[in-house]
Amino acid sequence: MSEKIRSFLKGREKIVLPYLLAVVLSTSCFAVFGVPVLSVYNFASMLICAFIFILCGYAGKNHRKGSLYVTLFLLMDIFLMVQMIRGGRGDFIQWFFLAGDNVETVSSFYIILLMAFPVFFGFTVYYFTVVIYRMHFLTLASIVPCVIYIKTFEEISNVYLIAAAVLNLLIFIRHSYIKGGKRIRYEGARSGAGALMLYIIV
C-alpha cells in the first residue's frame, strides 16, 4: 500500500501545497456561513479541489482535449449555479451578504457555494502556482475570504488566516528555489513576506 501511495505522489509533490491552500481558502469561506470544519460540505470542497487539480493537470499535458474539458466544466458549473440562484428568488443573495442571518437557510444555498468557492480557488490557485508563475496574483486571490468577511460583517477564525498566510509563504519559497537565481529568490521571499504581513494587518 505504501509503495502505491509513493508511486502516486511521485512527481505530484509540487501541487500538494497549492492544493492545501485551495482547500483552506474554500473552507475559510464556508466558515463565514457557519459551516464547521468537519462537515460534508468541506469534505465535498476537498474532492472538488482535487478533481480540478487533476483536470488542470490533464489539460497541461493534453492541451486541446484538456482545454475543451475545462471549458465545458466551467460553463456547466456557471450555468447550474445561475439557475439555482434564480430558483432561490433572490433569497440566496440576501442570505449570502447577511452570512446566513435573518434568512432561512436551505441546503441548495450551500450547494451554490460548492459550485463557487472550491471551483474558483481550485482553478485560481492551480493557475498561479503550477501553470504560470504569478505569485502576486496568488496573494490577491488569497484575500478573497477576508473580503467576504468584511462584506458580511462576520469574523473568520485566525486559524484559517494563519494557515493561508503560511501556505502562501511556503509556496513562494518553494517556487523561488525551484526557479533558481538570486533575483527570483529575493522576489519570492519579498512576496511571501508581503502576503504574511497583509494577513496580519487584515
Side-chain angles (χ1 to χ4, degrees), residues 13-68:
E13 63 277 358
K14 64 181 179 181
I15 67 172
V16 172
L17 290 176
Y19 170 74
L20 291 176
L21 177 60
V23 170
V24 167
L25 294 177
S26 297
T27 54
S28 65
C29 289
F30 273 99
V32 176
F33 299 91
V35 177
V37 177
L38 299 177
S39 66
V40 175
Y41 298 107
N42 281 332
F43 180 71
S45 295
M46 295 173 62
L47 294 179
I48 294 172
C49 288
F51 171 77
I52 290 173
F53 270 61
I54 293 172
L55 181 62
C56 290
Y58 176 82
K61 296 178 180 178
N62 304 273
H63 297 288
R64 291 184 179 180
K65 289 184 178 180
S67 299
L68 177 62

Tab-separated table of all heavy atoms in Angstrom, residues 13-68:
chain	number	residue	atom	x	y	z
A	13	GLU	N	4.293	16.070	-5.881
A	13	GLU	CA	4.512	16.771	-4.623
A	13	GLU	C	4.473	18.288	-4.796
A	13	GLU	O	4.205	19.028	-3.850
A	13	GLU	CB	5.853	16.361	-3.996
A	13	GLU	CG	7.089	16.703	-4.815
A	13	GLU	CD	7.399	15.675	-5.890
A	13	GLU	OE1	6.667	14.683	-5.977
A	13	GLU	OE2	8.377	15.883	-6.632
A	14	LYS	N	4.713	18.763	-6.029
A	14	LYS	CA	4.709	20.203	-6.266
A	14	LYS	C	3.315	20.817	-6.157
A	14	LYS	O	3.192	22.038	-6.006
A	14	LYS	CB	5.303	20.514	-7.641
A	14	LYS	CG	4.503	19.968	-8.802
A	14	LYS	CD	5.170	20.289	-10.118
A	14	LYS	CE	4.369	19.723	-11.295
A	14	LYS	NZ	5.021	20.023	-12.584
A	15	ILE	N	2.273	19.987	-6.250
A	15	ILE	CA	0.915	20.527	-6.170
A	15	ILE	C	0.292	20.334	-4.790
A	15	ILE	O	-0.844	20.750	-4.573
A	15	ILE	CB	-0.005	19.884	-7.230
A	15	ILE	CG1	-0.227	18.391	-6.933
A	15	ILE	CG2	0.530	20.108	-8.632
A	15	ILE	CD1	-1.268	17.750	-7.818
A	16	VAL	N	1.030	19.709	-3.867
A	16	VAL	CA	0.474	19.460	-2.530
A	16	VAL	C	0.179	20.776	-1.811
A	16	VAL	O	-0.931	20.978	-1.291
A	16	VAL	CB	1.425	18.586	-1.694
A	16	VAL	CG1	0.929	18.499	-0.251
A	16	VAL	CG2	1.535	17.191	-2.289
A	17	LEU	N	1.154	21.681	-1.765
A	17	LEU	CA	0.953	22.957	-1.079
A	17	LEU	C	-0.140	23.799	-1.739
A	17	LEU	O	-1.007	24.336	-1.040
A	17	LEU	CB	2.272	23.732	-1.009
A	17	LEU	CG	3.342	23.163	-0.063
A	17	LEU	CD1	4.633	23.967	-0.174
A	17	LEU	CD2	2.842	23.164	1.374
A	18	PRO	N	-0.130	23.945	-3.074
A	18	PRO	CA	-1.238	24.679	-3.709
A	18	PRO	C	-2.603	24.056	-3.438
A	18	PRO	O	-3.588	24.771	-3.223
A	18	PRO	CB	-0.887	24.622	-5.206
A	18	PRO	CG	0.593	24.479	-5.235
A	18	PRO	CD	0.919	23.626	-4.050
A	19	TYR	N	-2.657	22.729	-3.444
A	19	TYR	CA	-3.928	22.057	-3.162
A	19	TYR	C	-4.402	22.366	-1.741
A	19	TYR	O	-5.581	22.679	-1.522
A	19	TYR	CB	-3.793	20.550	-3.356
A	19	TYR	CG	-4.986	19.773	-2.863
A	19	TYR	CD1	-6.189	19.773	-3.575
A	19	TYR	CD2	-4.938	19.063	-1.655
A	19	TYR	CE1	-7.300	19.077	-3.102
A	19	TYR	CE2	-6.047	18.369	-1.190
A	19	TYR	CZ	-7.219	18.383	-1.924
A	19	TYR	OH	-8.318	17.695	-1.449
A	20	LEU	N	-3.493	22.289	-0.787
A	20	LEU	CA	-3.850	22.596	0.594
A	20	LEU	C	-4.319	24.037	0.727
A	20	LEU	O	-5.268	24.332	1.469
A	20	LEU	CB	-2.654	22.344	1.521
A	20	LEU	CG	-2.247	20.884	1.723
A	20	LEU	CD1	-0.993	20.805	2.584
A	20	LEU	CD2	-3.379	20.083	2.351
A	21	LEU	N	-3.679	24.947	-0.003
A	21	LEU	CA	-4.081	26.349	0.042
A	21	LEU	C	-5.489	26.521	-0.522
A	21	LEU	O	-6.311	27.244	0.066
A	21	LEU	CB	-3.098	27.217	-0.747
A	21	LEU	CG	-3.450	28.710	-0.836
A	21	LEU	CD1	-3.520	29.329	0.561
A	21	LEU	CD2	-2.430	29.451	-1.701
A	22	ALA	N	-5.792	25.862	-1.641
A	22	ALA	CA	-7.128	25.953	-2.233
A	22	ALA	C	-8.188	25.429	-1.264
A	22	ALA	O	-9.263	26.022	-1.124
A	22	ALA	CB	-7.175	25.173	-3.549
A	23	VAL	N	-7.873	24.339	-0.577
A	23	VAL	CA	-8.811	23.764	0.390
A	23	VAL	C	-9.006	24.703	1.580
A	23	VAL	O	-10.136	24.926	2.036
A	23	VAL	CB	-8.326	22.386	0.873
A	23	VAL	CG1	-9.172	21.893	2.046
A	23	VAL	CG2	-8.375	21.374	-0.264
A	24	VAL	N	-7.927	25.270	2.080
A	24	VAL	CA	-8.011	26.187	3.222
A	24	VAL	C	-8.839	27.414	2.871
A	24	VAL	O	-9.693	27.855	3.659
A	24	VAL	CB	-6.599	26.605	3.687
A	24	VAL	CG1	-6.677	27.788	4.653
A	24	VAL	CG2	-5.892	25.445	4.361
A	25	LEU	N	-8.618	27.977	1.690
A	25	LEU	CA	-9.377	29.157	1.277
A	25	LEU	C	-10.864	28.829	1.125
A	25	LEU	O	-11.725	29.625	1.511
A	25	LEU	CB	-8.814	29.700	-0.038
A	25	LEU	CG	-7.392	30.260	0.024
A	25	LEU	CD1	-6.920	30.694	-1.350
A	25	LEU	CD2	-7.303	31.428	1.007
A	26	SER	N	-11.154	27.654	0.580
A	26	SER	CA	-12.551	27.248	0.416
A	26	SER	C	-13.235	27.045	1.764
A	26	SER	O	-14.339	27.541	2.000
A	26	SER	CB	-12.642	25.964	-0.404
A	26	SER	OG	-12.140	26.157	-1.714
A	27	THR	N	-12.578	26.321	2.653
A	27	THR	CA	-13.172	26.045	3.963
A	27	THR	C	-13.296	27.322	4.798
A	27	THR	O	-14.228	27.453	5.591
A	27	THR	CB	-12.342	25.003	4.727
A	27	THR	OG1	-10.970	25.439	4.805
A	27	THR	CG2	-12.389	23.657	4.032
A	28	SER	N	-12.363	28.250	4.614
A	28	SER	CA	-12.454	29.506	5.359
A	28	SER	C	-13.667	30.317	4.920
A	28	SER	O	-14.307	30.996	5.730
A	28	SER	CB	-11.180	30.326	5.182
A	28	SER	OG	-11.015	30.731	3.833
A	29	CYS	N	-14.013	30.240	3.631
A	29	CYS	CA	-15.216	30.925	3.151
A	29	CYS	C	-16.477	30.253	3.683
A	29	CYS	O	-17.434	30.928	4.067
A	29	CYS	CB	-15.236	30.926	1.620
A	29	CYS	SG	-14.010	32.027	0.870
A	30	PHE	N	-16.478	28.930	3.737
A	30	PHE	CA	-17.623	28.219	4.293
A	30	PHE	C	-17.793	28.531	5.776
A	30	PHE	O	-18.912	28.553	6.291
A	30	PHE	CB	-17.463	26.714	4.089
A	30	PHE	CG	-17.978	26.219	2.766
A	30	PHE	CD1	-17.126	25.991	1.713
A	30	PHE	CD2	-19.335	25.999	2.589
A	30	PHE	CE1	-17.600	25.553	0.489
A	30	PHE	CE2	-19.830	25.556	1.375
A	30	PHE	CZ	-18.956	25.330	0.314
A	31	ALA	N	-16.670	28.762	6.461
A	31	ALA	CA	-16.740	29.060	7.896
A	31	ALA	C	-17.506	30.349	8.160
A	31	ALA	O	-18.131	30.501	9.220
A	31	ALA	CB	-15.332	29.158	8.473
A	32	VAL	N	-17.456	31.296	7.214
A	32	VAL	CA	-18.192	32.545	7.373
A	32	VAL	C	-19.692	32.275	7.501
A	32	VAL	O	-20.415	32.995	8.186
A	32	VAL	CB	-17.922	33.477	6.168
A	32	VAL	CG1	-18.754	34.749	6.276
A	32	VAL	CG2	-16.444	33.826	6.087
A	33	PHE	N	-20.145	31.189	6.865
A	33	PHE	CA	-21.566	30.860	6.864
A	33	PHE	C	-21.913	29.772	7.874
A	33	PHE	O	-22.924	29.086	7.754
A	33	PHE	CB	-21.988	30.433	5.457
A	33	PHE	CG	-21.782	31.515	4.433
A	33	PHE	CD1	-20.594	31.595	3.729
A	33	PHE	CD2	-22.759	32.467	4.203
A	33	PHE	CE1	-20.391	32.603	2.804
A	33	PHE	CE2	-22.566	33.476	3.277
A	33	PHE	CZ	-21.376	33.547	2.579
A	34	GLY	N	-21.031	29.632	8.869
A	34	GLY	CA	-21.326	28.742	9.987
A	34	GLY	C	-21.113	27.274	9.727
A	34	GLY	O	-21.602	26.437	10.491
A	35	VAL	N	-20.385	26.923	8.674
A	35	VAL	CA	-20.121	25.514	8.379
A	35	VAL	C	-18.915	25.054	9.198
A	35	VAL	O	-17.839	25.642	9.091
A	35	VAL	CB	-19.838	25.298	6.874
A	35	VAL	CG1	-19.501	23.839	6.595
A	35	VAL	CG2	-21.039	25.739	6.051
A	36	PRO	N	-19.046	24.030	10.029
A	36	PRO	CA	-17.918	23.551	10.839
A	36	PRO	C	-16.847	22.901	9.969
A	36	PRO	O	-17.110	22.516	8.826
A	36	PRO	CB	-18.561	22.527	11.782
A	36	PRO	CG	-19.791	22.072	11.061
A	36	PRO	CD	-20.282	23.258	10.287
A	37	VAL	N	-15.656	22.775	10.524
A	37	VAL	CA	-14.536	22.201	9.771
A	37	VAL	C	-14.858	20.782	9.328
A	37	VAL	O	-14.665	20.417	8.167
A	37	VAL	CB	-13.250	22.211	10.631
A	37	VAL	CG1	-12.101	21.542	9.873
A	37	VAL	CG2	-12.873	23.638	10.996
A	38	LEU	N	-15.337	19.974	10.264
A	38	LEU	CA	-15.696	18.592	9.934
A	38	LEU	C	-17.150	18.552	9.470
A	38	LEU	O	-18.077	18.431	10.277
A	38	LEU	CB	-15.487	17.681	11.151
A	38	LEU	CG	-14.059	17.604	11.684
A	38	LEU	CD1	-14.006	16.737	12.929
A	38	LEU	CD2	-13.116	17.054	10.602
A	39	SER	N	-17.341	18.688	8.184
A	39	SER	CA	-18.683	18.698	7.617
A	39	SER	C	-18.660	18.091	6.222
A	39	SER	O	-17.603	17.976	5.591
A	39	SER	CB	-19.235	20.126	7.550
A	39	SER	OG	-18.479	20.894	6.639
A	40	VAL	N	-19.823	17.728	5.759
A	40	VAL	CA	-19.954	17.153	4.411
A	40	VAL	C	-19.542	18.168	3.363
A	40	VAL	O	-18.913	17.819	2.351
A	40	VAL	CB	-21.410	16.694	4.171
A	40	VAL	CG1	-21.590	16.205	2.743
A	40	VAL	CG2	-21.797	15.610	5.161
A	41	TYR	N	-19.851	19.435	3.597
A	41	TYR	CA	-19.562	20.464	2.603
A	41	TYR	C	-18.059	20.695	2.450
A	41	TYR	O	-17.562	20.884	1.343
A	41	TYR	CB	-20.273	21.767	2.980
A	41	TYR	CG	-21.769	21.631	3.017
A	41	TYR	CD1	-22.457	21.603	4.225
A	41	TYR	CD2	-22.498	21.501	1.838
A	41	TYR	CE1	-23.845	21.464	4.251
A	41	TYR	CE2	-23.878	21.360	1.859
A	41	TYR	CZ	-24.541	21.340	3.064
A	41	TYR	OH	-25.906	21.189	3.088
A	42	ASN	N	-17.345	20.689	3.556
A	42	ASN	CA	-15.895	20.858	3.465
A	42	ASN	C	-15.238	19.630	2.841
A	42	ASN	O	-14.247	19.746	2.109
A	42	ASN	CB	-15.310	21.129	4.852
A	42	ASN	CG	-15.508	22.565	5.284
A	42	ASN	OD1	-15.594	23.474	4.451
A	42	ASN	ND2	-15.606	22.786	6.580
A	43	PHE	N	-15.780	18.454	3.138
A	43	PHE	CA	-15.259	17.242	2.501
A	43	PHE	C	-15.508	17.293	0.997
A	43	PHE	O	-14.641	16.924	0.192
A	43	PHE	CB	-15.928	16.008	3.110
A	43	PHE	CG	-15.461	14.706	2.508
A	43	PHE	CD1	-14.181	14.230	2.763
A	43	PHE	CD2	-16.296	13.977	1.675
A	43	PHE	CE1	-13.738	13.043	2.202
A	43	PHE	CE2	-15.868	12.784	1.111
A	43	PHE	CZ	-14.583	12.311	1.370
A	44	ALA	N	-16.689	17.773	0.615
A	44	ALA	CA	-17.000	17.933	-0.803
A	44	ALA	C	-16.076	18.964	-1.443
A	44	ALA	O	-15.662	18.801	-2.606
A	44	ALA	CB	-18.460	18.353	-0.983
A	45	SER	N	-15.721	20.014	-0.704
A	45	SER	CA	-14.782	21.016	-1.212
A	45	SER	C	-13.426	20.394	-1.517
A	45	SER	O	-12.795	20.706	-2.535
A	45	SER	CB	-14.611	22.152	-0.197
A	45	SER	OG	-15.809	22.859	-0.012
A	46	MET	N	-12.976	19.520	-0.639
A	46	MET	CA	-11.698	18.829	-0.850
A	46	MET	C	-11.743	17.987	-2.122
A	46	MET	O	-10.786	17.985	-2.910
A	46	MET	CB	-11.379	17.959	0.361
A	46	MET	CG	-11.137	18.723	1.637
A	46	MET	SD	-10.970	17.652	3.087
A	46	MET	CE	-9.514	16.712	2.638
A	47	LEU	N	-12.856	17.288	-2.334
A	47	LEU	CA	-12.989	16.447	-3.525
A	47	LEU	C	-13.048	17.288	-4.793
A	47	LEU	O	-12.436	16.944	-5.810
A	47	LEU	CB	-14.245	15.585	-3.409
A	47	LEU	CG	-14.260	14.535	-2.296
A	47	LEU	CD1	-15.579	13.772	-2.303
A	47	LEU	CD2	-13.087	13.560	-2.455
A	48	ILE	N	-13.773	18.408	-4.735
A	48	ILE	CA	-13.883	19.277	-5.910
A	48	ILE	C	-12.535	19.882	-6.261
A	48	ILE	O	-12.146	19.934	-7.435
A	48	ILE	CB	-14.932	20.386	-5.663
A	48	ILE	CG1	-16.326	19.780	-5.542
A	48	ILE	CG2	-14.901	21.425	-6.783
A	48	ILE	CD1	-17.396	20.762	-5.118
A	49	CYS	N	-11.807	20.353	-5.257
A	49	CYS	CA	-10.471	20.911	-5.494
A	49	CYS	C	-9.538	19.859	-6.084
A	49	CYS	O	-8.753	20.143	-7.003
A	49	CYS	CB	-9.881	21.465	-4.199
A	49	CYS	SG	-10.650	23.002	-3.616
A	50	ALA	N	-9.626	18.625	-5.569
A	50	ALA	CA	-8.794	17.539	-6.094
A	50	ALA	C	-9.154	17.254	-7.550
A	50	ALA	O	-8.258	17.070	-8.399
A	50	ALA	CB	-8.986	16.282	-5.250
A	51	PHE	N	-10.446	17.227	-7.860
A	51	PHE	CA	-10.890	16.996	-9.239
A	51	PHE	C	-10.372	18.084	-10.166
A	51	PHE	O	-9.903	17.798	-11.283
A	51	PHE	CB	-12.416	16.938	-9.303
A	51	PHE	CG	-12.960	16.908	-10.699
A	51	PHE	CD1	-12.924	15.731	-11.435
A	51	PHE	CD2	-13.502	18.052	-11.271
A	51	PHE	CE1	-13.420	15.700	-12.734
A	51	PHE	CE2	-13.992	18.031	-12.569
A	51	PHE	CZ	-13.954	16.851	-13.298
A	52	ILE	N	-10.451	19.331	-9.718
A	52	ILE	CA	-9.996	20.451	-10.553
A	52	ILE	C	-8.494	20.385	-10.788
A	52	ILE	O	-8.011	20.624	-11.905
A	52	ILE	CB	-10.391	21.786	-9.894
A	52	ILE	CG1	-11.902	21.964	-9.977
A	52	ILE	CG2	-9.677	22.963	-10.557
A	52	ILE	CD1	-12.442	23.146	-9.229
A	53	PHE	N	-7.733	20.025	-9.767
A	53	PHE	CA	-6.284	19.907	-9.937
A	53	PHE	C	-5.944	18.783	-10.913
A	53	PHE	O	-5.029	18.914	-11.726
A	53	PHE	CB	-5.618	19.673	-8.582
A	53	PHE	CG	-5.222	20.932	-7.882
A	53	PHE	CD1	-6.174	21.886	-7.530
A	53	PHE	CD2	-3.894	21.190	-7.569
A	53	PHE	CE1	-5.816	23.054	-6.899
A	53	PHE	CE2	-3.514	22.362	-6.932
A	53	PHE	CZ	-4.484	23.300	-6.597
A	54	ILE	N	-6.685	17.685	-10.827
A	54	ILE	CA	-6.468	16.577	-11.770
A	54	ILE	C	-6.842	17.013	-13.182
A	54	ILE	O	-6.119	16.721	-14.154
A	54	ILE	CB	-7.298	15.345	-11.348
A	54	ILE	CG1	-6.762	14.777	-10.033
A	54	ILE	CG2	-7.261	14.271	-12.440
A	54	ILE	CD1	-7.639	13.688	-9.438
A	55	LEU	N	-7.954	17.726	-13.312
A	55	LEU	CA	-8.399	18.213	-14.612
A	55	LEU	C	-7.388	19.190	-15.214
A	55	LEU	O	-7.072	19.113	-16.412
A	55	LEU	CB	-9.768	18.891	-14.473
A	55	LEU	CG	-10.412	19.439	-15.747
A	55	LEU	CD1	-10.671	18.318	-16.739
A	55	LEU	CD2	-11.713	20.179	-15.415
A	56	CYS	N	-6.871	20.093	-14.391
A	56	CYS	CA	-5.879	21.055	-14.866
A	56	CYS	C	-4.567	20.356	-15.249
A	56	CYS	O	-3.907	20.736	-16.220
A	56	CYS	CB	-5.612	22.109	-13.798
A	56	CYS	SG	-6.986	23.253	-13.532
A	57	GLY	N	-4.192	19.339	-14.472
A	57	GLY	CA	-3.001	18.582	-14.802
A	57	GLY	C	-3.145	17.864	-16.132
A	57	GLY	O	-2.205	17.817	-16.941
A	58	TYR	N	-4.333	17.331	-16.389
A	58	TYR	CA	-4.603	16.678	-17.676
A	58	TYR	C	-4.563	17.705	-18.803
A	58	TYR	O	-4.029	17.427	-19.881
A	58	TYR	CB	-5.964	15.995	-17.628
A	58	TYR	CG	-6.368	15.365	-18.937
A	58	TYR	CD1	-5.895	14.105	-19.303
A	58	TYR	CD2	-7.233	16.029	-19.810
A	58	TYR	CE1	-6.266	13.527	-20.515
A	58	TYR	CE2	-7.612	15.459	-21.016
A	58	TYR	CZ	-7.119	14.208	-21.362
A	58	TYR	OH	-7.483	13.648	-22.563
A	59	ALA	N	-5.133	18.886	-18.551
A	59	ALA	CA	-5.139	19.938	-19.572
A	59	ALA	C	-3.725	20.403	-19.900
A	59	ALA	O	-3.438	20.784	-21.044
A	59	ALA	CB	-5.979	21.122	-19.101
A	60	GLY	N	-2.838	20.362	-18.894
A	60	GLY	CA	-1.469	20.761	-19.140
A	60	GLY	C	-0.727	19.795	-20.051
A	60	GLY	O	0.190	20.187	-20.786
A	61	LYS	N	-1.123	18.532	-20.029
A	61	LYS	CA	-0.476	17.519	-20.867
A	61	LYS	C	-1.199	17.319	-22.200
A	61	LYS	O	-0.589	16.928	-23.184
A	61	LYS	CB	-0.419	16.185	-20.112
A	61	LYS	CG	0.429	16.232	-18.856
A	61	LYS	CD	0.415	14.897	-18.127
A	61	LYS	CE	1.255	14.942	-16.860
A	61	LYS	NZ	1.215	13.650	-16.122
A	62	ASN	N	-2.507	17.547	-22.197
A	62	ASN	CA	-3.311	17.385	-23.412
A	62	ASN	C	-4.063	18.688	-23.661
A	62	ASN	O	-5.205	18.856	-23.194
A	62	ASN	CB	-4.301	16.228	-23.253
A	62	ASN	CG	-3.625	14.924	-22.889
A	62	ASN	OD1	-3.185	14.170	-23.744
A	62	ASN	ND2	-3.528	14.662	-21.582
A	63	HIS	N	-3.420	19.609	-24.339
A	63	HIS	CA	-3.917	20.980	-24.430
A	63	HIS	C	-5.297	21.072	-25.087
A	63	HIS	O	-6.185	21.752	-24.567
A	63	HIS	CB	-2.918	21.844	-25.203
A	63	HIS	CG	-1.590	21.950	-24.520
A	63	HIS	ND1	-1.408	22.685	-23.363
A	63	HIS	CD2	-0.383	21.405	-24.818
A	63	HIS	CE1	-0.145	22.588	-22.976
A	63	HIS	NE2	0.500	21.809	-23.839
A	64	ARG	N	-5.489	20.407	-26.215
A	64	ARG	CA	-6.767	20.546	-26.926
A	64	ARG	C	-7.927	19.915	-26.162
A	64	ARG	O	-8.921	20.581	-25.873
A	64	ARG	CB	-6.648	19.915	-28.315
A	64	ARG	CG	-5.724	20.680	-29.255
A	64	ARG	CD	-5.723	20.059	-30.635
A	64	ARG	NE	-4.860	20.800	-31.535
A	64	ARG	CZ	-4.659	20.479	-32.816
A	64	ARG	NH1	-5.285	19.416	-33.332
A	64	ARG	NH2	-3.860	21.207	-33.565
A	65	LYS	N	-7.785	18.641	-25.842
A	65	LYS	CA	-8.850	17.959	-25.112
A	65	LYS	C	-9.015	18.557	-23.717
A	65	LYS	O	-10.132	18.760	-23.243
A	65	LYS	CB	-8.561	16.467	-25.005
A	65	LYS	CG	-8.706	15.709	-26.308
A	65	LYS	CD	-8.494	14.221	-26.078
A	65	LYS	CE	-8.689	13.431	-27.365
A	65	LYS	NZ	-8.479	11.969	-27.154
A	66	GLY	N	-7.888	18.819	-23.060
A	66	GLY	CA	-7.951	19.364	-21.710
A	66	GLY	C	-8.633	20.715	-21.664
A	66	GLY	O	-9.471	20.980	-20.791
A	67	SER	N	-8.292	21.592	-22.617
A	67	SER	CA	-8.926	22.918	-22.666
A	67	SER	C	-10.420	22.798	-22.913
A	67	SER	O	-11.217	23.551	-22.340
A	67	SER	CB	-8.281	23.758	-23.776
A	67	SER	OG	-6.903	23.949	-23.522
A	68	LEU	N	-10.798	21.845	-23.753
A	68	LEU	CA	-12.216	21.623	-24.024
A	68	LEU	C	-12.938	21.151	-22.765
A	68	LEU	O	-14.027	21.650	-22.438
A	68	LEU	CB	-12.377	20.582	-25.138
A	68	LEU	CG	-13.818	20.184	-25.491
A	68	LEU	CD1	-14.597	21.393	-26.004
A	68	LEU	CD2	-13.826	19.059	-26.521
